[in-house]
Amino acid sequence: MLHYAIVFLVIALIAAVLGFGGIAGASAGIAKILFLVFLVLFIASLIFGRRKL
């Protein structure tokens, strides 16, 4: 999931350099959402992965 966030971030940077503002904004938004989802899943796996049943 972090890989996809980085890919969309790179797409946003390239689109911003080329002047495509709408595409850059959309890609940056997707990258932010995917990064937040990654962080939530990472923290959840740290919390629940250490418990022994």
Side-chain angles (χ1 to χ4, degrees), residues 7 23 25 28 30 35:
V7 168
I23 296 172
I30 293 171
F35 185 72

Side-chain angles (χ1 to χ4, degrees), residues 16-50:
V17 168
L18 295 176
F20 299 109
I23 296 172
S27 295
I30 293 171
K32 286 179 187 178
I33 292 169
L34 287 176
F35 185 72
L36 288 175
V37 169
F38 167 76
L39 280 179
V40 168
L41 291 176
F42 176 71
I43 291 171
S45 69
L46 284 178
I47 292 171
F48 295 118
R50 300 208 177 237

